[in-house]
Amino acid sequence: MSGSQTQNAALTTALAFHYQVLIGLDKCFSLEDGQSVWFEKDGDVSLISPHALESIQAEVKDYSAALTDHHENLWKTLKNWLAPDFNHAQYGVLVLHTTQAFGANTRLKNWNSLYTEQRLEVLKEIFAERTEDQLNAEKPSDVIKLQKTVMAADEVLLKNMLGKVTLFTQADNAQELEKQILSRPVGIPRNNLRSYLHGLIGFVYAQATQQSWSIKHQEFTEKCEELTALLCKKEFTFPIFSGYEASELEVELHQDRPFVQKITEIEHHEMVPDAVGNWLELQNSLLEQLDEYPLYKDKTITYQNQLVKKYKLAYSSAQLEAKDSIKSSKLLYNRTIGEQPLSMGNGTPPLEYKNGLIHDAMDDEERELKWRVEP
């Protein structure tokens, strides 16, 4: 496989995974007390309820080709639901959730209105189209392998499963799902909706562990409330600062910036990743353009000037007390970075915001600031 093919395959996998996350996120809005959404391997999303009949398991598929009688999507999904390690008894509904439209001549179009016996007959009719040569070929196609497995299943088990199956075709694609999710919050300015979506997606990804990946109703509700409080209409919206620590690559990319060089100059190397992280978060916040962004930018400039004025006084005091240049410089750095932020209006901004502004000021050579204290 060529490099471009490998990249395309990786991108397709990543997009399909993201689509699964969006499906699960959208289902989170339907959760009730005691329910949870589970993300499973192979693109499965489950809504688990204390009552089995209210539980739903969905196979999430993103295909462009039409859903025809012999398309692998249907047959692979049925095979998965018949697997010994899948207990469909715990679900009242099994949903094939696909972006496909029905093919023009498919027998599957009326699936959801058919009784169990009729559904089984549809599958038998489709399977009967296979010739003996196709079924007994030395190397049958993947679809034929799937069909043979499904039709060879115990008929009682097969009928029990088929009675639960719903085909949800022409499902919304990723862009439409995002629009649907963004239509749900109330009281959040339009410019903040993208940050709301990113906050929820980040929350969903953060719940994944090596053992399981689930979203509980209570946890999801709390996160929605937190993001709504953060991003609702105010004088201006303050961006999220999470205390990001820069990676080794990011540190390397920015190692020649003046603010990094000034930390290196006082041999405070272990502080560089946090410093670069704070600086990056600040720069990103100025690119977000959230609700009333111009006001945020103006207040940020004013706030930075206050910090610089305060720092100059602290630097002057450090000079008066200095005996050991490196030690005094490190102490000045620690006190400045560890100091609680000045208030801004009726609130206090995040520590990372304050520190990002200090590093940004250090990066401005015209300000002639430095950490190194000369006795």
Side-chain angles (χ1 to χ4, degrees):
M1 184 180 287
S2 69
S4 61
Q5 287 176 314
T6 302
Q7 287 180 338
N8 288 339
L11 177 60
T12 300
T13 300
L15 290 174
F17 185 70
H18 182 64
Y19 181 69
Q20 177 195 3
V21 169
L22 290 176
I23 291 286
L25 175 56
D26 187 52
K27 290 188 181 299
C28 284
F29 286 97
S30 303
L31 289 174
E32 297 179 0
D33 286 342
Q35 293 184 331
S36 58
V37 168
W38 283 75
F39 295 84
E40 303 167 28
K41 62 181 181 179
D42 301 326
D44 296 353
V45 175
S46 302
L47 191 156
I48 304 296
S49 175
H51 307 289
L53 291 179
E54 296 176 2
S55 295
I56 300 171
Q57 206 269 357
E59 284 252 355
V60 181
K61 305 295 182 183
D62 190 4
Y63 284 97
S64 55
L67 182 61
T68 58
D69 290 351
H70 294 283
H71 195 285
E72 68 165 5
N73 191 7
L74 171 71
W75 293 95
K76 187 175 183 179
T77 300
L78 295 179
K79 176 181 175 290
N80 289 342
W81 284 333
L82 287 167
D85 58 351
F86 178 74
N87 179 19
H88 64 73
Q90 65 181 313
Y91 301 103
V93 182
L94 300 171
V95 180
L96 172 55
H97 193 294
T98 179
T99 54
Q100 296 169 282
F102 281 123
N105 301 313
T106 181
R107 298 176 178 88
L108 303 173
K109 283 184 178 179
N110 299 318
W111 179 275
N112 294 341
S113 62
L114 299 179
Y115 295 113
T116 301
E117 290 286 353
Q118 294 172 312
R119 293 177 180 185
L120 180 58
E121 283 305 311
V122 167
L123 295 186
K124 286 180 177 179
E125 288 174 13
I126 294 171
F127 187 62
E129 293 179 346
R130 296 301 187 186
T131 66
E132 287 297 319
D133 288 343
Q134 288 177 321
L135 294 174
N136 298 321
E138 186 177 341
K139 293 183 178 179
S141 68
D142 290 340
V143 175
I144 290 178
K145 288 179 185 177
L146 294 169
Q147 290 175 329
K148 289 172 70 174
T149 301
V150 170
M151 299 312 294
D154 177 79
E155 189 164 305
V156 174
L157 176 65
L158 180 57
K159 286 165 68 174
N160 193 359
M161 181 269 290
L162 291 178
K164 301 178 181 181
V165 174
T166 297
L167 302 184
F168 185 20
T169 58
Q170 287 185 304
D172 298 328
N173 59 27
Q175 290 76 21
E176 291 302 316
L177 272 171
E178 288 186 359
K179 288 181 182 177
Q180 185 170 308
I181 293 168
L182 290 176
S183 70
R184 297 181 181 275
V186 177
I188 295 180
R190 184 172 55 83
N191 286 358
N192 294 356
L193 287 173
R194 186 59 53 177
S195 290
Y196 180 84
L197 175 63
H198 290 167
L200 286 181
I201 291 174
F203 166 74
V204 170
Y205 276 109
Q207 306 313 300
T209 69
Q210 290 186 338
Q211 289 74 38
S212 64
W213 188 6
S214 67
I215 312 295
K216 294 181 175 63
H217 170 257
Q218 182 64 29
E219 295 171 350
F220 182 72
T221 300
E222 289 173 358
K223 186 62 182 181
C224 289
E225 290 173 351
E226 175 193 325
L227 288 171
T228 300
L230 184 68
L231 298 169
C232 66
K233 185 68 179 177
K234 311 185 190 76
E235 181 185 15
F236 65 91
T237 300
F238 210 96
I240 299 171
F241 284 78
S242 60
Y244 177 70
E245 181 177 321
S247 64
E248 290 183 13
L249 177 60
E250 287 169 325
V251 170
E252 185 178 343
L253 286 173
H254 298 288
Q255 63 183 353
D256 294 328
R257 296 202 70 91
F259 82 94
V260 177
Q261 290 291 310
K262 290 172 184 178
I263 299 172
T264 303
E265 184 183 29
I266 63 170
E267 302 173 20
H268 223 4
H269 307 290
E270 66 273 21
M271 299 296 164
V272 171
D274 275 337
V276 173
N278 291 162
W279 182 81
L280 284 172
E281 280 200 287
L282 174 71
Q283 305 310 310
N284 290 335
S285 79
L286 294 170
L287 295 173
E288 277 192 79
Q289 298 197 11
L290 298 173
D291 191 49
E292 300 296 345
Y293 163 76
L295 184 56
Y296 167 69
K297 187 175 181 181
D298 288 345
K299 285 187 174 289
T300 291
I301 292 171
T302 301
Y303 192 79
Q304 185 178 51
N305 289 335
Q306 292 176 322
L307 292 174
V308 169
K309 187 175 181 179
K310 191 170 186 291
Y311 175 75
K312 287 180 176 179
L313 181 61
Y315 184 85
S316 176
S317 298
Q319 279 186 307
L320 295 174
E321 299 171 347
K323 294 180 181 178
D324 181 318
S325 177
I326 295 297
K327 182 178 179 180
S328 296
S329 301
K330 287 183 177 180
L331 286 171
L332 173 63
Y333 182 96
N334 292 353
R335 290 193 195 103
T336 304
I337 297 302
E339 196 171 45
Q340 287 303 303
L342 300 170
S343 61
M344 177 187 278
N346 296 325
T348 303
L351 183 67
E352 296 80 12
Y353 167 76
K354 180 213 79 175
N355 290 340
L357 284 173
I358 290 172
H359 294 305
D360 184 71
M362 288 283 175
D363 206 54
D364 184 353
E365 296 285 41
E366 292 185 6
R367 290 186 184 269
E368 298 183 347
L369 301 175
K370 61 181 179 179
W371 293 110
R372 189 178 182 89
V373 178
E374 303 292 350

